[in-house]
Amino acid sequence: MEAYKKWVRRNKDYVHSLESLANGFTWLLPERFSASEIGPEAVTAILGIITAINEHIIDTTSPQTSADPVEPNSFPYSLCTSAIKDLETLVEVAAQHYYGDDKKWNFIAVTEATKVLVRLAMFRNSGYKMLLHGGETPNTEKHSDFSSSQHNGGDFRKHGAHRGSNEQNSWNLEGRALSALSRFGENARMGSDPVWLRRVQHQQAIMEPPPQMIERPSLSMILSEKGVRGALFLMGEVLFITRPLIYVLLIRKYGIRSWIPWFLSLAVDGIGAGFSTQVVKSRDYHLTASEQDELKRRKLLWALYLMRDPFFSKYTRQRLQSTEKLLEPVPIIGLLTAKIVELVVGAQTRYTYMSGS
């Protein structure tokens, strides 16, 4: 495994090219949207998991130095989330093939519940930071408001943290001096006084400060520091995480053709987006560039409601078919339009393609 990690890190551009080529060929596999779709979807899922593993290996390339903060928990939540998302379509296809259209929602609900648990654990483990791309991308950027309050010594850390950092800086200077002296002794082969050399090395080990652990904000810290804004942010994130599971449970109860799951899911998304908007408008809660892009991405996901039943069956499908008939006489363009409509209609039959989760 270590040899494979080294090869991936050395040839990451080549690996990315191979992954893109392989994923592109999966759309050309026969019977992709037919009843016997388990084989092609299994190939797609395996390729997706391999891609996620390679991305995780590349993202963990840079080693941590002694000065960098140490993560108290290194469980790969983003890799776990990506693997579940790659398997969910295969689970849906297999459940539909062996158990039928009605009972497949039980398996989809289990998959969504698993994603909810992983994302909530990741949300808590990250210090209640916004999930990027549904948890597939770790949110490693620091919040300016959190970091400033921590350095000022008021809200998330004790007042002695700044003084401790000054002490560690002085220790680092002394440790560097002792380290340089030790290396000089080794290079000069000072074998005449090995006891003195061991004494210097031992003192160097004593003077080096222990690695600094990351102190993540807890739930009570965020609520006490941010107040109502912090509570709105937390509720908005929880609604965004749990919305797919709520939608699937409603489909299990009322059916895919009912408007109740469609409207209630839209309402949950709207309430969560409203909470996030109120947080963004406040001056005391600053979002990073990645989090601002994430909010824009979530707004774009609302377009998927046009592709979900019953709205798709009553309105969107008719628009697509009329466009296809309109462009059918046009050479090349009519052929491409027909193929695109076929792919869109076929993809719409899969919940996992249009779930936005």
Side-chain angles (χ1 to χ4, degrees), residues 28-93:
L28 302 178
L29 292 174
E31 300 178 345
R32 181 168 179 83
F33 296 114
S34 64
S36 58
E37 196 187 340
I38 299 178
E41 287 298 341
V43 174
T44 304
I46 293 173
L47 289 176
I49 293 176
I50 293 175
T51 301
I53 293 174
N54 291 338
E55 289 294 334
H56 179 72
I57 292 173
I58 293 173
D59 291 340
T60 56
T61 299
S62 57
Q64 280 189 330
T65 60
S66 58
D68 293 334
V70 178
E71 294 282 346
N73 191 350
S74 58
F75 183 80
Y77 289 102
S78 59
L79 177 60
C80 185
T81 303
S82 299
I84 296 174
K85 286 181 65 65
D86 290 324
L87 287 172
E88 62 183 359
T89 305
L90 177 61
V91 171
E92 178 184 1
V93 172

Side-chain angles (χ1 to χ4, degrees), residues 95-113:
Q96 183 177 2
H97 181 76
Y98 291 107
Y99 297 97
D101 291 336
D102 294 333
K103 293 185 178 180
K104 77 173 184 179
W105 295 106
N106 298 329
F107 296 89
I108 296 177
V110 172
T111 305
E112 291 292 356

Side-chain angles (χ1 to χ4, degrees), residues 295-345:
L295 290 181
K296 296 177 183 178
R297 188 191 72 88
R298 293 181 183 182
K299 292 180 181 179
L300 292 177
L301 290 178
W302 284 42
L304 291 175
Y305 280 98
L306 303 177
M307 302 299 298
R308 296 172 188 162
D309 282 327
F311 190 93
F312 179 83
S313 300
K314 292 184 177 295
Y315 302 103
T316 309
R317 183 192 291 271
Q318 298 176 3
R319 295 290 184 180
L320 291 175
Q321 291 176 350
S322 61
T323 303
E324 181 183 1
K325 292 180 181 179
L326 179 64
L327 298 177
E328 185 178 1
V330 182
I332 301 177
I333 297 179
L335 182 62
L336 292 177
T337 303
K339 187 63 177 177
I340 292 173
V341 171
E342 180 187 354
L343 289 175
V344 170
V345 173

Side-chain angles (χ1 to χ4, degrees), residues 47-346:
L47 289 176
I49 293 176
I50 293 175
T51 301
I53 293 174
N54 291 338
E55 289 294 334
H56 179 72
I57 292 173
I58 293 173
D59 291 340
T60 56
T61 299
S62 57
Q64 280 189 330
T65 60
S66 58
D68 293 334
V70 178
E71 294 282 346
N73 191 350
S74 58
F75 183 80
Y77 289 102
S78 59
L79 177 60
C80 185
T81 303
S82 299
I84 296 174
K85 286 181 65 65
D86 290 324
L87 287 172
E88 62 183 359
T89 305
L90 177 61
V91 171
E92 178 184 1
V93 172
Q96 183 177 2
H97 181 76
Y98 291 107
Y99 297 97
D101 291 336
D102 294 333
K103 293 185 178 180
K104 77 173 184 179
W105 295 106
N106 298 329
F107 296 89
I108 296 177
V110 172
T111 305
E112 291 292 356
T114 305
K115 285 195 296 185
V116 167
L117 293 177
V118 173
R119 285 169 175 169
L120 288 176
M122 184 179 184
F123 184 49
R124 180 180 180 275
N125 185 72
S126 65
Y128 300 97
K129 290 183 179 181
M130 181 182 295
L131 296 185
L132 304 180
H133 297 278
E136 294 186 80
T137 303
N139 190 350
T140 57
E141 294 187 36
K142 295 182 180 179
H143 288 258
S144 58
D145 49 352
F146 286 168
S147 60
S148 61
S149 62
Q150 289 175 358
H151 289 307
N152 290 334
D155 301 310
F156 293 150
R157 291 185 183 176
K158 295 182 180 180
H159 292 280
H162 184 68
R163 182 178 68 252
S165 63
N166 292 333
E167 293 176 357
Q168 289 181 356
N169 290 335
S170 62
W171 284 7
N172 285 335
L173 292 176
E174 296 177 5
R176 292 175 186 172
L178 291 172
S179 177
L181 186 60
S182 176
R183 287 196 300 269
F184 177 80
E186 292 177 357
N187 294 333
R189 300 182 182 276
M190 298 177 63
S192 58
D193 195 3
V195 178
W196 176 85
L197 181 59
R198 287 196 299 270
R199 188 179 305 166
V200 170
Q201 293 174 345
H202 177 67
Q203 188 175 2
Q204 174 192 356
I206 295 176
M207 295 300 293
E208 286 184 354
Q212 182 182 0
M213 298 295 293
I214 293 179
E215 184 179 355
R216 296 188 177 93
S218 64
L219 184 62
S220 59
M221 289 177 181
I222 293 179
L223 293 177
S224 61
E225 167 68 14
K226 299 301 177 183
V228 177
R229 303 294 185 184
L232 290 177
F233 170 76
L234 293 174
M235 287 189 293
E237 283 300 298
V238 171
L239 287 177
F240 176 76
I241 292 172
T242 58
R243 196 276 311 165
L245 178 60
I246 296 174
Y247 180 55
V248 171
L249 294 178
L250 290 173
I251 291 177
R252 287 181 67 250
K253 183 176 182 180
Y254 296 102
I256 190 66
R257 300 296 180 182
S258 174
W259 284 98
I260 295 178
W262 193 90
F263 275 115
L264 289 181
S265 176
L266 182 62
V268 172
D269 266 337
I271 295 173
F275 289 158
S276 301
T277 302
Q278 292 298 322
V279 171
V280 172
K281 289 181 179 179
S282 64
R283 296 181 179 179
D284 58 344
Y285 209 105
H286 303 284
L287 299 180
T288 63
S290 299
E291 291 173 345
Q292 293 175 1
D293 293 338
E294 172 64 17
L295 290 181
K296 296 177 183 178
R297 188 191 72 88
R298 293 181 183 182
K299 292 180 181 179
L300 292 177
L301 290 178
W302 284 42
L304 291 175
Y305 280 98
L306 303 177
M307 302 299 298
R308 296 172 188 162
D309 282 327
F311 190 93
F312 179 83
S313 300
K314 292 184 177 295
Y315 302 103
T316 309
R317 183 192 291 271
Q318 298 176 3
R319 295 290 184 180
L320 291 175
Q321 291 176 350
S322 61
T323 303
E324 181 183 1
K325 292 180 181 179
L326 179 64
L327 298 177
E328 185 178 1
V330 182
I332 301 177
I333 297 179
L335 182 62
L336 292 177
T337 303
K339 187 63 177 177
I340 292 173
V341 171
E342 180 187 354
L343 289 175
V344 170
V345 173

Side-chain angles (χ1 to χ4, degrees), residues 1-18:
M1 191 61 186
E2 292 299 325
Y4 178 72
K5 289 180 180 180
K6 292 180 180 178
W7 182 84
V8 169
R9 290 165 180 168
R10 291 174 182 174
N11 304 276
K12 55 183 179 181
D13 295 333
Y14 180 66
V15 170
H16 287 158
S17 300
L18 285 179

